[in-house]
CSV table of all heavy atoms in Angstrom, one decimal:
chain,number,residue,atom,x,y,z
S,1,SER,N,0.8,-1.2,0.0
S,1,SER,CA,0.0,0.0,0.0
S,1,SER,C,0.8,1.3,0.0
S,1,SER,O,0.3,2.3,0.3
S,1,SER,CB,-1.0,0.0,1.2
S,1,SER,OG,-1.9,-1.0,1.1
S,2,SER,N,2.1,1.2,-0.4
S,2,SER,CA,2.8,2.4,-0.6
S,2,SER,C,2.4,3.1,-1.9
S,2,SER,O,2.2,2.4,-2.9
S,2,SER,CB,4.3,2.1,-0.7
S,2,SER,OG,5.1,3.3,-1.0
S,3,THR,N,2.1,4.4,-1.9
S,3,THR,CA,1.5,5.0,-3.1
S,3,THR,C,2.4,6.2,-3.6
S,3,THR,O,3.2,6.7,-2.9
S,3,THR,CB,0.2,5.6,-2.7
S,3,THR,OG1,0.3,6.6,-1.6
S,3,THR,CG2,-0.8,4.6,-2.3
S,4,ASN,N,2.2,6.4,-4.9
S,4,ASN,CA,2.9,7.6,-5.6
S,4,ASN,C,1.9,8.2,-6.5
S,4,ASN,O,1.0,7.5,-7.1
S,4,ASN,CB,4.1,7.1,-6.4
S,4,ASN,CG,5.3,6.7,-5.5
S,4,ASN,OD1,5.9,7.6,-5.0
S,4,ASN,ND2,5.6,5.5,-5.4
S,5,TYR,N,2.0,9.5,-6.6
S,5,TYR,CA,1.0,10.3,-7.4
S,5,TYR,C,1.8,11.3,-8.3
S,5,TYR,O,2.8,11.8,-7.9
S,5,TYR,CB,0.0,11.1,-6.5
S,5,TYR,CG,-0.9,10.2,-5.7
S,5,TYR,CD1,-0.5,9.9,-4.4
S,5,TYR,CD2,-2.1,9.8,-6.2
S,5,TYR,CE1,-1.3,9.1,-3.6
S,5,TYR,CE2,-2.9,9.0,-5.4
S,5,TYR,CZ,-2.5,8.7,-4.1
S,5,TYR,OH,-3.4,7.9,-3.3
S,6,ALA,N,1.2,11.5,-9.5
S,6,ALA,CA,1.7,12.6,-10.3
S,6,ALA,C,1.4,13.9,-9.6
S,6,ALA,O,0.4,14.1,-8.9
S,6,ALA,CB,1.0,12.6,-11.7
S,7,ASP,N,2.3,14.9,-9.8
S,7,ASP,CA,2.1,16.2,-9.1
S,7,ASP,C,0.7,16.8,-9.5
S,7,ASP,O,0.1,17.5,-8.6
S,7,ASP,CB,3.2,17.2,-9.5
S,7,ASP,CG,4.5,16.8,-8.8
S,7,ASP,OD1,4.5,16.0,-7.8
S,7,ASP,OD2,5.6,17.2,-9.3
S,8,SER,N,0.3,16.6,-10.7
S,8,SER,CA,-0.9,17.2,-11.2
S,8,SER,C,-2.2,16.7,-10.5
S,8,SER,O,-3.2,17.4,-10.5
S,8,SER,CB,-1.1,17.1,-12.7
S,8,SER,OG,-1.1,15.7,-13.0
S,9,VAL,N,-2.1,15.6,-9.8
S,9,VAL,CA,-3.3,15.0,-9.2
S,9,VAL,C,-3.2,14.9,-7.7
S,9,VAL,O,-4.2,14.5,-7.0
S,9,VAL,CB,-3.7,13.7,-9.7
S,9,VAL,CG1,-3.8,13.7,-11.3
S,9,VAL,CG2,-2.6,12.6,-9.3
S,10,LYS,N,-2.1,15.3,-7.1
S,10,LYS,CA,-1.9,15.2,-5.6
S,10,LYS,C,-2.9,16.0,-4.9
S,10,LYS,O,-3.2,17.2,-5.3
S,10,LYS,CB,-0.5,15.6,-5.2
S,10,LYS,CG,0.6,14.7,-5.6
S,10,LYS,CD,2.0,15.2,-5.1
S,10,LYS,CE,3.1,14.2,-5.5
S,10,LYS,NZ,4.4,14.7,-5.1
S,11,GLY,N,-3.5,15.4,-3.9
S,11,GLY,CA,-4.5,16.1,-3.1
S,11,GLY,C,-5.9,16.0,-3.7
S,11,GLY,O,-6.9,16.3,-3.0
S,12,ARG,N,-6.1,15.5,-4.9
S,12,ARG,CA,-7.4,15.3,-5.5
S,12,ARG,C,-7.7,13.8,-5.8
S,12,ARG,O,-8.9,13.4,-5.7
S,12,ARG,CB,-7.4,16.1,-6.9
S,12,ARG,CG,-7.2,17.6,-6.7
S,12,ARG,CD,-7.5,18.3,-8.0
S,12,ARG,NE,-6.6,17.9,-9.1
S,12,ARG,CZ,-6.9,17.3,-10.2
S,12,ARG,NH1,-8.2,17.1,-10.5
S,12,ARG,NH2,-6.0,17.0,-11.1
S,13,PHE,N,-6.7,13.0,-6.2
S,13,PHE,CA,-6.9,11.6,-6.5
S,13,PHE,C,-6.4,10.7,-5.4
S,13,PHE,O,-5.4,11.1,-4.7
S,13,PHE,CB,-6.2,11.2,-7.8
S,13,PHE,CG,-6.8,11.9,-9.0
S,13,PHE,CD1,-7.7,12.9,-9.0
S,13,PHE,CD2,-6.3,11.4,-10.3
S,13,PHE,CE1,-8.3,13.4,-10.1
S,13,PHE,CE2,-6.8,12.0,-11.4
S,13,PHE,CZ,-7.8,13.0,-11.4
S,14,THR,N,-7.0,9.6,-5.2
S,14,THR,CA,-6.6,8.6,-4.2
S,14,THR,C,-6.6,7.2,-4.8
S,14,THR,O,-7.7,6.8,-5.3
S,14,THR,CB,-7.4,8.7,-2.9
S,14,THR,OG1,-7.4,10.0,-2.3
S,14,THR,CG2,-6.9,7.7,-1.9
S,15,ILE,N,-5.5,6.5,-4.8
S,15,ILE,CA,-5.4,5.2,-5.2
S,15,ILE,C,-5.5,4.2,-4.0
S,15,ILE,O,-4.9,4.5,-3.0
S,15,ILE,CB,-4.2,4.9,-6.1
S,15,ILE,CG1,-4.2,3.5,-6.7
S,15,ILE,CG2,-2.9,5.1,-5.3
S,15,ILE,CD1,-3.2,3.3,-7.8
S,16,SER,N,-6.2,3.1,-4.2
S,16,SER,CA,-6.3,2.2,-3.1
S,16,SER,C,-6.5,0.8,-3.7
S,16,SER,O,-6.8,0.7,-4.9
S,16,SER,CB,-7.5,2.5,-2.2
S,16,SER,OG,-8.7,2.5,-2.9
S,17,ARG,N,-6.4,-0.2,-2.9
S,17,ARG,CA,-6.5,-1.6,-3.4
S,17,ARG,C,-7.2,-2.5,-2.4
S,17,ARG,O,-7.1,-2.3,-1.2
S,17,ARG,CB,-5.2,-2.2,-3.8
S,17,ARG,CG,-4.2,-2.3,-2.7
S,17,ARG,CD,-2.8,-2.7,-3.2
S,17,ARG,NE,-2.7,-4.0,-3.8
S,17,ARG,CZ,-1.8,-4.5,-4.6
S,17,ARG,NH1,-0.8,-3.7,-4.9
S,17,ARG,NH2,-1.8,-5.7,-5.1
S,18,ASP,N,-7.9,-3.4,-2.9
S,18,ASP,CA,-8.5,-4.5,-2.1
S,18,ASP,C,-7.9,-5.8,-2.5
S,18,ASP,O,-8.2,-6.3,-3.5
S,18,ASP,CB,-10.0,-4.5,-2.3
S,18,ASP,CG,-10.8,-5.4,-1.4
S,18,ASP,OD1,-10.2,-6.4,-0.9
S,18,ASP,OD2,-12.0,-5.2,-1.1
S,19,ASN,N,-7.0,-6.3,-1.6
S,19,ASN,CA,-6.3,-7.5,-2.0
S,19,ASN,C,-7.1,-8.7,-2.0
S,19,ASN,O,-6.9,-9.6,-2.8
S,19,ASN,CB,-5.1,-7.7,-1.0
S,19,ASN,CG,-4.0,-6.7,-1.2
S,19,ASN,OD1,-3.8,-6.2,-2.3
S,19,ASN,ND2,-3.3,-6.3,-0.2
S,20,ALA,N,-8.2,-8.7,-1.2
S,20,ALA,CA,-9.1,-9.9,-1.2
S,20,ALA,C,-9.8,-10.0,-2.5
S,20,ALA,O,-10.1,-11.1,-3.0
S,20,ALA,CB,-10.0,-9.8,0.0
S,21,LYS,N,-10.2,-8.8,-3.0
S,21,LYS,CA,-11.0,-8.8,-4.3
S,21,LYS,C,-10.1,-8.6,-5.5
S,21,LYS,O,-10.5,-8.7,-6.6
S,21,LYS,CB,-12.0,-7.6,-4.3
S,21,LYS,CG,-13.1,-7.8,-3.3
S,21,LYS,CD,-14.0,-6.6,-3.3
S,21,LYS,CE,-15.1,-6.7,-2.3
S,21,LYS,NZ,-16.1,-5.6,-2.4
S,22,ILE,N,-8.8,-8.5,-5.2
S,22,ILE,CA,-7.8,-8.2,-6.3
S,22,ILE,C,-8.2,-7.1,-7.2
S,22,ILE,O,-8.3,-7.3,-8.4
S,22,ILE,CB,-7.5,-9.5,-7.1
S,22,ILE,CG1,-7.3,-10.7,-6.1
S,22,ILE,CG2,-6.2,-9.4,-7.9
S,22,ILE,CD1,-7.1,-12.0,-6.8
S,23,THR,N,-8.5,-6.0,-6.6
S,23,THR,CA,-9.1,-4.8,-7.3
S,23,THR,C,-8.3,-3.6,-6.9
S,23,THR,O,-8.0,-3.4,-5.7
S,23,THR,CB,-10.6,-4.7,-7.0
S,23,THR,OG1,-11.2,-5.9,-7.4
S,23,THR,CG2,-11.1,-3.5,-7.8
S,24,VAL,N,-8.1,-2.7,-7.8
S,24,VAL,CA,-7.5,-1.4,-7.5
S,24,VAL,C,-8.5,-0.3,-7.9
S,24,VAL,O,-9.3,-0.5,-8.9
S,24,VAL,CB,-6.2,-1.2,-8.2
S,24,VAL,CG1,-6.3,-1.2,-9.8
S,24,VAL,CG2,-5.5,0.1,-7.8
S,25,TYR,N,-8.5,0.8,-7.1
S,25,TYR,CA,-9.5,1.8,-7.3
S,25,TYR,C,-8.7,3.2,-7.5
S,25,TYR,O,-7.6,3.3,-7.0
S,25,TYR,CB,-10.4,2.0,-6.1
S,25,TYR,CG,-11.2,0.7,-5.8
S,25,TYR,CD1,-10.7,-0.2,-4.9
S,25,TYR,CD2,-12.4,0.4,-6.5
S,25,TYR,CE1,-11.4,-1.3,-4.6
S,25,TYR,CE2,-13.1,-0.7,-6.2
S,25,TYR,CZ,-12.6,-1.6,-5.2
S,25,TYR,OH,-13.3,-2.8,-4.9
S,26,LEU,N,-9.4,4.1,-8.2
S,26,LEU,CA,-8.8,5.4,-8.3
S,26,LEU,C,-10.0,6.4,-8.0
S,26,LEU,O,-10.9,6.5,-8.8
S,26,LEU,CB,-8.2,5.7,-9.6
S,26,LEU,CG,-7.6,7.1,-9.8
S,26,LEU,CD1,-6.3,7.2,-8.9
S,26,LEU,CD2,-7.2,7.4,-11.2
S,27,GLN,N,-10.0,7.0,-6.8
S,27,GLN,CA,-11.0,8.0,-6.5
S,27,GLN,C,-10.5,9.3,-7.0
S,27,GLN,O,-9.5,9.8,-6.6
S,27,GLN,CB,-11.3,8.0,-5.0
S,27,GLN,CG,-12.3,9.0,-4.5
S,27,GLN,CD,-13.7,8.7,-5.0
S,27,GLN,OE1,-14.1,7.6,-4.9
S,27,GLN,NE2,-14.4,9.7,-5.5
S,28,MET,N,-11.3,9.9,-7.8
S,28,MET,CA,-10.9,11.2,-8.5
S,28,MET,C,-11.9,12.3,-8.0
S,28,MET,O,-13.1,12.2,-8.4
S,28,MET,CB,-10.9,11.1,-10.0
S,28,MET,CG,-10.0,10.0,-10.5
S,28,MET,SD,-9.9,9.9,-12.3
S,28,MET,CE,-11.6,9.5,-12.7
S,29,ASN,N,-11.4,13.2,-7.3
S,29,ASN,CA,-12.2,14.3,-6.8
S,29,ASN,C,-11.8,15.7,-7.4
S,29,ASN,O,-10.6,15.8,-7.9
S,29,ASN,CB,-12.1,14.5,-5.3
S,29,ASN,CG,-12.7,13.2,-4.5
S,29,ASN,OD1,-13.6,12.6,-5.0
S,29,ASN,ND2,-12.1,12.9,-3.4
S,30,ASN,N,-12.7,16.6,-7.4
S,30,ASN,CA,-12.4,17.9,-8.0
S,30,ASN,C,-11.8,17.8,-9.4
S,30,ASN,O,-10.8,18.4,-9.7
S,30,ASN,CB,-11.4,18.7,-7.0
S,30,ASN,CG,-11.3,20.2,-7.4
S,30,ASN,OD1,-12.2,20.7,-8.0
S,30,ASN,ND2,-10.2,20.8,-7.0
S,31,LEU,N,-12.4,17.1,-10.2
S,31,LEU,CA,-12.0,16.9,-11.6
S,31,LEU,C,-12.0,18.2,-12.3
S,31,LEU,O,-12.8,19.0,-12.2
S,31,LEU,CB,-12.8,15.8,-12.3
S,31,LEU,CG,-12.5,14.4,-11.8
S,31,LEU,CD1,-13.7,13.5,-12.2
S,31,LEU,CD2,-11.2,13.9,-12.5
S,32,GLN,N,-11.0,18.3,-13.2
S,32,GLN,CA,-10.8,19.5,-14.0
S,32,GLN,C,-10.7,19.1,-15.5
S,32,GLN,O,-10.4,17.9,-15.8
S,32,GLN,CB,-9.5,20.2,-13.6
S,32,GLN,CG,-9.5,20.7,-12.2
S,32,GLN,CD,-10.6,21.7,-11.9
S,32,GLN,OE1,-10.9,22.6,-12.6
S,32,GLN,NE2,-11.4,21.4,-10.8
């Protein structure tokens, strides 16, 4: 669960994963 973000999306996007479901998510807020 160590994460890295592009500077352009820091503070707006959040990446997460559910290892049990083997799924990754990208929550995108304040889209431009």
Side-chain angles (χ1 to χ4, degrees):
S1 298
S2 177
T3 60
N4 285 287
Y5 296 92
D7 289 340
S8 60
V9 306
K10 287 181 179 178
R12 299 188 297 121
F13 291 10
T14 302
I15 188 170
S16 62
R17 63 190 294 164
D18 184 332
N19 289 330
K21 296 181 179 180
I22 315 178
T23 302
V24 64
Y25 304 93
L26 184 67
Q27 179 66 45
M28 304 185 293
N29 297 327
N30 192 25
L31 284 161
Q32 301 299 312

